[in-house]
């Protein structure tokens, strides 16, 4: 079965941890993840500058490691990312910001990427949001 996973909550929320565990279970079950899409506050999981307290799980880092390890298509909504300060090199230069902070394995792109991926998947599973 092919899945698209969309995350709407920040990395410190329980929804982010549940989404990561679900994604791990999808692959462990022999299924495919067509795309991981971070939207709204979920884009914070793609920031390379997120720091967790020593007694907490670093879910943002675990997401980046997961995407890299499995060579997944990790997409961050560009509008939501810009609004929350999650920038790649190109957007940092374009908006005259001092640095980029998009984590390894992620790319900025439009909301259309979520729609396009859902057309090629059997299931769209969303975590978090209002």
């Amino acid at each position: 079965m092919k899945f698209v996973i969309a995350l709407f909550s920040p990395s410190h929320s329980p929804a982010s941890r549940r989404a990561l565990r679900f994604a791990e279970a999808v692959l462990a079950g022999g299924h495919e993840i067509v795309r991981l899409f971070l939207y709204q506050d979920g884009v914070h999981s793609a920031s390379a500058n997120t720091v967790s307290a020593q007694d907490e799980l670093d879910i943002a880092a675990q997401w980046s490691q997961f995407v890299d390890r499995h060579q997944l298509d990790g997409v961050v909504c560009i509008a939501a990312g810009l609004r929350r300060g999650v920038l790649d090199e190109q957007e940092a230069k374009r908006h005259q910001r001092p640095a980029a902070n998009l984590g390894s394995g992620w790319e900025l792109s439009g909301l259309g990427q979520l729609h396009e991926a859902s057309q090629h998947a059997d299931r769209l599973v969303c975590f978090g949001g209002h």
Side-chain angles (χ1 to χ4, degrees), residues 22-69:
F22 178 80
E24 291 168 341
V26 165
L27 295 183
H31 303 288
E32 178 184 347
I33 297 174
V34 175
R35 182 165 293 141
L36 292 169
F37 192 86
L38 304 183
Y39 188 55
Q40 296 176 344
D41 285 339
V43 303
H44 291 294
S45 291
S47 173
N49 291 338
T50 301
V51 178
S52 296
Q54 290 181 344
D55 63 339
E56 295 177 3
L57 295 173
D58 190 347
I59 299 297
Q62 288 182 23
W63 269 118
S64 285
Q65 293 164 3
F66 181 75
V67 169
D68 282 340
R69 182 173 51 252

Side-chain angles (χ1 to χ4, degrees), residues 9-122:
S9 295
S11 58
H12 62 271
S13 76
S16 184
R17 187 178 63 251
R18 282 193 298 270
L20 179 59
R21 298 302 172 245
F22 178 80
E24 291 168 341
V26 165
L27 295 183
H31 303 288
E32 178 184 347
I33 297 174
V34 175
R35 182 165 293 141
L36 292 169
F37 192 86
L38 304 183
Y39 188 55
Q40 296 176 344
D41 285 339
V43 303
H44 291 294
S45 291
S47 173
N49 291 338
T50 301
V51 178
S52 296
Q54 290 181 344
D55 63 339
E56 295 177 3
L57 295 173
D58 190 347
I59 299 297
Q62 288 182 23
W63 269 118
S64 285
Q65 293 164 3
F66 181 75
V67 169
D68 282 340
R69 182 173 51 252
H70 297 287
Q71 298 178 337
L72 298 174
D73 185 16
V75 177
V76 176
C77 176
I78 190 167
L82 292 177
R83 195 172 307 118
R84 291 163 177 85
V86 179
L87 310 168
D88 62 8
E89 290 288 337
Q90 180 180 344
E91 293 302 320
K93 287 179 186 172
R94 186 175 131 200
H95 296 283
Q96 300 175 356
R97 296 300 188 254
N101 64 337
L102 186 67
S104 173
W106 300 102
E107 68 172 301
L108 293 176
S109 194
L111 186 58
Q113 293 292 320
L114 178 59
H115 180 267
E116 186 270 335
S118 67
Q119 301 303 308
H120 299 286
D122 300 306

